Amino acid sequence: MSAPVCLPQWGHTWVDLPVLRLPMPEEELIPCATGCFQLPIAIDTPEDPVERAVHRWFLGHHGAFLVWRFLSASLDRLIREPDSQLVRQAALGYDAYSVMLAYSGSCSREVYEDVIRPMMVTFDPAFSGRWARDHEPLPGLLRRARAALGPVAAAPLTSASKANLVAHMEVMRRLVPGGPSLLRESGRARMSTTDAERARFDEFFLVSRENVCVSRYRAHRAAVLSAIGHDLAKQPLSPEYGETLRTFATRL
């Protein structure tokens, strides 16, 4: 069974989502104990448009946390075992991450400015995606994987990772057109990220760092992907997003 390392004091209760329980990026999932079982993980999408937008912001980030973990493992293995199938797997991870970016950032600019951004400012005036500890190793792992493969073999991975950067920039352009990030506005942009800031990022997005067993992790991952998939089926953003998530889920 999963055993908590520490119990965070959640800084807000804006979102009705189950806490996402994850090990630290460098730690493995633990084996399930004898008789381990899972309680159902329910994720319901609100009908109110503003509540749905906030829900998507948080649930999409939960999806991103899970994809980051997948990408980290995939790229690390690819560095050690250059293989075309592993290249396609890692590229699919970047495609799934692009879906999470589009999904979490699918709100209107008005909702972002009036509701979501103030949430982050209230939580921490310098709040930044740079504090995401699970994403931190990915740029370095990507560079090493591409170097190990060479430009031709790495082409699918290069294409998917570049498309992911474009997806990220598109969300930023639409929600914060020409505006500075909270981190820049705070004057802390030149400072190195601290463990306290990494913990704040986790806390804001309802992530608890714990010893997590395999079945618990897989159950929550399946619930997150299923909830996003069902939401996109009801209110689509782009036709290919649902198919990307379905394909990603089958590769896990």
Side-chain angles (χ1 to χ4, degrees), residues 17-20 41-43 55 58-67 100 103 217-231 245:
L17 276 179
V19 171
L20 179 61
I41 299 173
I43 300 176
H55 171 87
F58 282 83
L59 182 59
H61 276 83
H62 276 195
F65 277 94
L66 296 165
V67 172
M100 299 306 171
Y103 178 78
Y217 176 81
R218 289 177 177 172
H220 205 139
R221 182 178 63 189
V224 168
L225 294 178
S226 176
I228 294 173
H230 281 104
D231 189 15
L245 285 188

Side-chain angles (χ1 to χ4, degrees), residues 87 90-92 94-95 98 142 146 151-167:
V87 170
L92 179 60
Y94 275 103
D95 290 341
S98 295
L142 176 61
R146 291 174 61 187
V152 176
L157 179 58
T158 300
S159 177
S161 61
K162 286 183 176 179
N164 177 255
L165 287 175
V166 171

Side-chain angles (χ1 to χ4, degrees), residues 23-229:
M24 287 292 188
E26 66 278 5
E27 295 176 353
E28 299 294 329
L29 300 170
I30 63 174
C32 297
T34 302
C36 180
F37 67 95
Q38 295 302 323
L39 297 175
I41 299 173
I43 300 176
D44 299 316
T45 303
E47 293 297 329
D48 177 82
V50 174
E51 291 181 4
R52 179 188 289 267
V54 174
H55 171 87
R56 283 185 166 192
W57 181 257
F58 282 83
L59 182 59
H61 276 83
H62 276 195
F65 277 94
L66 296 165
V67 172
W68 291 334
R69 186 171 179 86
F70 172 87
L71 276 171
S72 183
S74 297
L75 292 170
D76 180 67
R77 184 180 174 190
L78 190 54
I79 292 165
R80 293 179 283 106
E81 306 172 33
D83 174 83
S84 60
Q85 184 174 346
L86 294 178
V87 170
R88 291 192 295 272
Q89 178 174 291
L92 179 60
Y94 275 103
D95 290 341
Y97 181 24
S98 295
V99 174
M100 299 306 171
L101 287 168
Y103 178 78
S104 61
S106 59
C107 61
S108 67
R109 186 179 302 168
E110 291 73 23
V111 169
Y112 180 79
E113 291 178 347
D114 296 343
V115 181
I116 294 174
R117 189 176 173 96
M119 283 182 179
M120 295 186 289
V121 172
T122 300
F123 194 75
D124 192 303
F127 193 83
S128 172
R130 203 172 78 182
W131 299 351
R133 68 174 95 225
D134 302 84
H135 184 270
E136 280 184 289
L138 294 184
L141 287 171
L142 176 61
R143 285 193 296 271
R144 291 171 60 197
R146 291 174 61 187
L149 290 163
V152 176
L157 179 58
T158 300
S159 177
S161 61
K162 286 183 176 179
N164 177 255
L165 287 175
V166 171
H168 197 179
M169 295 301 295
E170 172 59 23
V171 172
M172 292 174 61
R173 182 197 64 77
R174 193 168 54 79
L175 297 183
V176 195
S181 67
L182 295 180
L183 189 62
R184 288 188 181 279
E185 286 183 343
S186 72
R188 289 157 55 184
R190 295 182 179 274
M191 299 179 184
S192 298
T193 303
T194 66
D195 285 341
E197 289 167 337
R198 295 180 181 98
R200 291 289 279 167
F201 190 86
D202 285 347
E203 185 180 356
F204 179 80
F205 282 114
L206 304 177
V207 173
S208 177
R209 298 294 171 171
E210 308 180 8
N211 296 321
V212 183
C213 69
V214 173
S215 59
R216 172 75 191 189
Y217 176 81
R218 289 177 177 172
H220 205 139
R221 182 178 63 189
V224 168
L225 294 178
S226 176
I228 294 173

